[in-house]
Amino acid sequence: MAGLVLKNNVKEHWDEMHPSVQAYVKQGVLACVGLPEPYLRQTAGTCVTTIAYTAGLASWTELVPTLLGMLEGAAAGGAHDAAEGAIAALSKVCEDSCEALATQPESQPMLGPLLSTLIPLINATHEPLRRCDGRARPRAFPPPPVSCSPTVARLPPGILHPFQPP
């Protein structure tokens, strides 16, 4: 219930919150993304994407790198709870903010690193990561910008099927 209240307050009052309160909320929900309880991870992911969508992805530049760091930590044998929470949050962010991801300035590229981290999860040994990876892939991404061409060129054929030219 508290997560729903937080999400609604973020949606309705984010711009009215003091910047220190905004920073505190961002830090708190990111910390909850890696909790062992699946329901709390899911709620934290919903709050993360609500903040990213409401405030704008550009205003939370450390979000995607932090979530990608959680995934990379699990790939190196780290906490799977954090990775599952991170991939679920990334999936929601991709769905809600896909245009913002695709139009990031070259000084803050997010889509290339995002794809580079997600694609190897196709072969993850931890089954929930493979299953979640399917939610974050192709339907969430618009046609990749030219700045992602080197990353897209290394992808397995058909991975971005709906977006690759025939």
Side-chain angles (χ1 to χ4, degrees):
M1 183 65 138
L4 178 62
V5 171
L6 177 62
K7 178 191 77 112
N8 289 337
N9 276 302
V10 163
K11 192 184 288 187
E12 296 173 20
H13 304 289
W14 185 258
D15 292 335
E16 301 163 21
M17 291 180 190
H18 190 273
S20 64
V21 174
Q22 291 176 346
Y24 179 79
V25 171
K26 288 177 181 178
Q27 181 183 5
V29 296
L30 269 180
C32 292
V33 165
L35 291 175
E37 297 85 1
Y39 180 76
L40 295 177
R41 288 195 307 263
Q42 179 183 4
T43 302
T46 299
C47 291
V48 163
T49 195
T50 301
I51 294 168
Y53 184 78
T54 303
L57 200 53
S59 72
W60 199 359
T61 55
E62 65 274 10
L63 173 64
V64 172
T66 300
L67 294 173
L68 292 177
M70 291 177 181
L71 286 174
E72 291 165 353
H80 288 296
D81 291 339
E84 289 176 30
I87 201 159
L90 281 168
S91 177
K92 292 171 188 169
V93 168
C94 289
E95 288 177 20
D96 292 350
S97 303
C98 63
E99 190 167 323
L101 282 168
T103 58
Q104 286 294 301
E106 287 186 31
S107 61
Q108 298 175 330
M110 289 188 202
L111 191 57
L114 183 63
L115 288 172
S116 296
T117 303
L118 288 177
I119 298 306
L121 292 178
I122 294 169
N123 298 318
T125 56
H126 188 60
E127 192 272 331
L129 294 181
R130 285 194 314 272
R131 184 180 63 235
C132 289
D133 176 58
R135 291 194 315 238
R137 279 188 293 117
R139 65 178 163 80
F141 297 115
V146 174
S147 62
C148 292
S149 293
T151 301
V152 172
R154 293 192 314 264
L155 299 177
I159 197 75
L160 296 177
H161 170 67
F163 308 114
Q164 288 178 334

